[in-house]
Amino acid sequence: MNNQFNQYSRTNRQLTRESSRKHYRHQRNSSVSAALSPGFGINTRSGKHQSNSAPTRESLHIHFFEDATRDQIKKIGQYVAILVSIFLLIFMVVASWKGSDMTGHLGLPIFTMTLVSVLLFGFSYLTASYMSNKSFVFLVLVLLAIELVKVFIVLTYQIGPTSDYWNYHYLAYARASGIPWTRHLVGINSSWPHVLNIAFLYSIPYSLIGTNFVTSQLINIAFTFFDALLIYKLSASIINKQAGIFSALIFSLIPAYFMYSILNGAEPMFLTFVLGLLVSFDTFMKRDEYTTNQRWLTNTLTMFILAILAYMVRPTIAIWLVAGLLFLLFRRDTRRVSPTLRLKRYSFFLGFMAVFFIFSSLSANVYSGLYGMQIGSNNNLNKYSLATGTSPSTDGAYNKEIYGIMEKNYKKYPDPHQMETHINADLNRQINQNVSTLNHSGHWGIFLDQKYTAFSAENYGYNWLLYNTAKGNKHTGNFYSMKQSLVTLSVIFFEFILVLCIITMSFILLFAPIIPDSVAMQNKLFYLSLLLDGFIIGSMIFEVQGRYHTILYLPLVLILGLGIKLLTERGHKLNLNLTI
């Protein structure tokens, strides 16, 4: 009986193995046939049977890229963006030092200000570590104390606004006082709508608080305070609380921006709108397929309003929209994303972009209706900035002769349409002349190097504060004697930020495989790198000034937050074995 059972079992196993071999051969032949069939990315599976009675079924599946291939393409795109940022920051380390005009015996100032920078960074790190488990109120009190120092300076150091700062103040004063804006009152500023927009925004607190210049100074200090809180909120959301505290403190302690934010410049207001936009976008990216369309729409509307406000101050905010779209395209998924969620993200964001660019194309008409006078077109504004940005004689910075083109046509042609036509023709000639000069001289490399140096200069804070110092200010002599120390501190502190960001970015790239949640970490770094790449390269096309690089502080301090996370991460031990 047992023998018969054993023989039966052996026979059954042989039949099973033979059936498996036939099935394997059938699959292999089917795969070969599919591979030899024409059509890239198309798989045809046939359900034919030997019996003629069974119907033939064919299903066609089209896959242009497999999931793994898409992920590799995204990874390459991210690596390219991050590497470009690293190289741009390396060049900026050199350019910032060259552009700050530090002269004389610098040995002692460099040593002293390096020590001060180390102490400020150490203070920020220790404070962030201590307050990471404390109430949010502690951070508010520390940031408030930093801003109160500025209030003390405002009350004791008299400012006499000049240049753009005078235009912002005077136009805001006139509007708040009920004096109508006319072509004669506004003057050539009608060709620069952002000047009128900034003055219009300042006129709101002027109407509520008072028209004294100190009002705009205190408003900017308040903007900077809220900027630090928004940086904390954003960094804590995408990284962690300790990183948020550290990023907020470093931003508040940047020496050049500390001095500059005492004035009524447009940058604190602009950064507030941009940070609000970044926080809204962070919320947008955390929406899921269960979020109602009403919330999607509300979130998108908030982004649109903040983008428009930022655009009114600095049209360069359009760079962020392109960066946001690239982030959506190259963001690597850390979990499964349903087609519905992906469709909603793209639909709402592309809709947001479309409405924004429609507004930007019609903005001159909107401003003309808002201010009751003809406002210069965006076309001429961009051409003026491009003509200045390609000026070989000033390395892409302010050029008095190009400004004279605008002034000459304003005085010569009272009719706004005639003025626009002649300005357009003159600026076109100037741009062609600039480009032709650079082409014939072959000095594009030298020109771009010097332009990048002017853009990266970190002495803007001291220079603009000194430039706007009132003539009767009794502290002018003391402030002038501190130039070397304050400029040196500004440059070295900024160099610390740049170098630490370069180290953080390089570390994440090199050791990505062994970093916990490496894909999420690379996504964040990729997004911040897009902002750096976009605002640096975009700014290099047009007119440059040192103060224009303040927008870079936002991604830079957030990258420092990533470094803090890597440095102090608990519960994870990094195995530093680099495999090639």
Side-chain angles (χ1 to χ4, degrees), residues 119-330:
L119 291 174
L120 290 174
F121 271 84
F123 164 78
S124 300
Y125 176 74
L126 294 175
T127 303
S129 299
Y130 174 76
M131 292 198 302
S132 59
N133 297 319
K134 303 295 181 183
S135 170
F136 173 68
V137 176
F138 286 92
L139 174 63
V140 173
L141 292 175
V142 173
L143 295 176
L144 194 58
I146 295 172
E147 300 307 321
L148 286 176
V149 175
K150 297 180 187 179
V151 174
F152 174 77
I153 295 174
V154 166
L155 297 177
T156 56
Y157 193 87
Q158 186 180 0
I159 296 295
T162 58
S163 185
D164 290 344
Y165 309 92
W166 164 253
N167 290 331
Y168 302 154
H169 169 64
Y170 175 68
L171 293 173
Y173 161 80
R175 192 168 186 88
S177 302
I179 302 172
W181 283 359
T182 62
R183 187 175 187 271
H184 177 71
L185 178 73
V186 170
I188 190 61
N189 289 310
S190 61
S191 296
W192 290 285
H194 68 282
V195 174
L196 301 182
N197 295 334
I198 294 165
F200 170 73
L201 292 171
Y202 273 130
S203 71
I204 298 172
Y206 272 36
S207 301
L208 299 173
I209 303 173
T211 55
N212 192 290
F213 179 73
V214 174
T215 299
S216 59
Q217 291 182 276
L218 295 177
I219 290 298
N220 264 8
I221 292 173
F223 272 132
T224 308
F225 173 69
F226 284 114
D227 288 345
L229 294 180
L230 288 171
I231 287 173
Y232 163 77
K233 177 177 176 55
L234 183 61
S235 186
S237 175
I238 65 176
I239 308 173
N240 60 35
K241 185 177 179 180
Q242 184 181 4
I245 296 171
F246 183 79
S247 297
L249 289 173
I250 291 297
F251 173 79
S252 299
L253 293 172
I254 295 174
Y257 195 66
F258 183 95
M259 289 183 280
Y260 183 78
S261 59
I262 293 172
L263 300 173
N264 67 326
E267 281 67 26
M269 184 189 302
F270 177 61
L271 294 191
T272 301
F273 297 146
V274 174
L275 280 166
L277 181 58
L278 297 183
V279 171
S280 296
F281 183 67
D282 177 52
T283 304
F284 178 86
M285 291 303 298
K286 290 178 178 177
R287 299 293 187 195
D288 56 32
E289 55 266 37
Y290 304 108
T291 302
T292 62
N293 287 332
Q294 184 179 359
R295 288 195 173 186
W296 279 101
L297 185 60
T298 302
N299 200 163
T300 307
L301 183 61
T302 302
M303 290 167 56
F304 174 73
I305 293 172
L306 289 166
I308 293 303
L309 288 171
Y311 179 81
M312 290 175 67
V313 180
R314 290 280 183 262
T316 51
I317 189 58
I319 292 170
W320 177 86
L321 275 78
V322 178
L325 181 59
L326 289 174
F327 177 68
L328 284 177
L329 291 172
F330 286 91

Side-chain angles (χ1 to χ4, degrees), residues 221-514:
I221 292 173
F223 272 132
T224 308
F225 173 69
F226 284 114
D227 288 345
L229 294 180
L230 288 171
I231 287 173
Y232 163 77
K233 177 177 176 55
L234 183 61
S235 186
S237 175
I238 65 176
I239 308 173
N240 60 35
K241 185 177 179 180
Q242 184 181 4
I245 296 171
F246 183 79
S247 297
L249 289 173
I250 291 297
F251 173 79
S252 299
L253 293 172
I254 295 174
Y257 195 66
F258 183 95
M259 289 183 280
Y260 183 78
S261 59
I262 293 172
L263 300 173
N264 67 326
E267 281 67 26
M269 184 189 302
F270 177 61
L271 294 191
T272 301
F273 297 146
V274 174
L275 280 166
L277 181 58
L278 297 183
V279 171
S280 296
F281 183 67
D282 177 52
T283 304
F284 178 86
M285 291 303 298
K286 290 178 178 177
R287 299 293 187 195
D288 56 32
E289 55 266 37
Y290 304 108
T291 302
T292 62
N293 287 332
Q294 184 179 359
R295 288 195 173 186
W296 279 101
L297 185 60
T298 302
N299 200 163
T300 307
L301 183 61
T302 302
M303 290 167 56
F304 174 73
I305 293 172
L306 289 166
I308 293 303
L309 288 171
Y311 179 81
M312 290 175 67
V313 180
R314 290 280 183 262
T316 51
I317 189 58
I319 292 170
W320 177 86
L321 275 78
V322 178
L325 181 59
L326 289 174
F327 177 68
L328 284 177
L329 291 172
F330 286 91
R331 179 180 179 272
R332 297 167 64 196
D333 296 330
T334 54
R335 62 179 180 83
R336 183 184 175 278
V337 178
S338 68
T340 303
L341 176 58
R342 202 180 300 276
L343 178 62
K344 280 191 175 183
R345 276 181 182 167
Y346 281 108
S347 299
F348 279 98
F349 193 83
L350 290 174
F352 157 60
M353 286 187 69
V355 176
F356 174 86
F357 284 116
I358 290 172
F359 173 86
S360 66
S361 64
L362 300 174
S363 59
N365 296 327
V366 174
Y367 299 150
S368 297
L370 178 63
Y371 302 132
M373 56 185 295
Q374 186 65 37
I375 302 299
S377 67
N378 285 332
N379 183 47
N380 282 348
L381 173 63
N382 292 334
K383 285 184 179 179
Y384 169 79
S385 190
L386 184 59
T388 306
T390 54
S391 169
S393 60
T394 59
D395 299 324
Y398 170 79
N399 186 307
K400 188 176 181 178
E401 294 179 1
I402 297 175
Y403 179 85
I405 292 174
M406 311 291 286
E407 202 168 34
K408 175 196 72 175
N409 286 290
Y410 167 77
K411 293 177 179 178
K412 189 174 182 181
Y413 302 101
D415 180 66
H417 297 291
Q418 282 187 323
M419 182 184 73
E420 286 277 307
T421 302
H422 286 84
I423 285 177
N424 182 62
D426 290 347
L427 290 177
N428 281 334
R429 281 194 295 270
Q430 186 65 53
I431 292 169
N432 291 332
Q433 179 183 330
N434 292 345
V435 174
S436 177
T437 300
L438 289 169
N439 285 336
H440 283 87
S441 65
H443 289 165
W444 273 106
I446 296 173
F447 170 75
L448 290 175
D449 174 64
Q450 293 174 339
K451 186 175 182 180
Y452 196 49
T453 298
F455 174 70
S456 306
E458 192 68 5
N459 58 356
Y460 71 91
Y462 177 86
N463 287 345
W464 280 116
L465 188 57
L466 180 65
Y467 189 54
N468 284 276
T469 298
K471 292 183 179 179
N473 191 326
K474 62 182 180 180
H475 302 292
T476 303
N478 292 331
F479 184 66
Y480 188 77
S481 67
M482 297 170 66
K483 177 180 180 179
Q484 189 180 69
S485 298
L486 292 176
V487 171
T488 303
L489 176 61
S490 299
V491 174
I492 290 178
F493 193 91
F494 187 52
E495 299 275 296
F496 267 55
I497 293 176
L498 294 175
V499 171
L500 290 174
C501 283
I502 292 169
I503 293 172
T504 299
M505 298 167 79
S506 302
F507 184 89
I508 292 173
L509 274 188
L510 288 173
F511 300 106
I514 58 173

Side-chain angles (χ1 to χ4, degrees), residues 102-107 484:
M102 293 190 297
T103 57
H105 300 287
L106 296 174
Q484 189 180 69

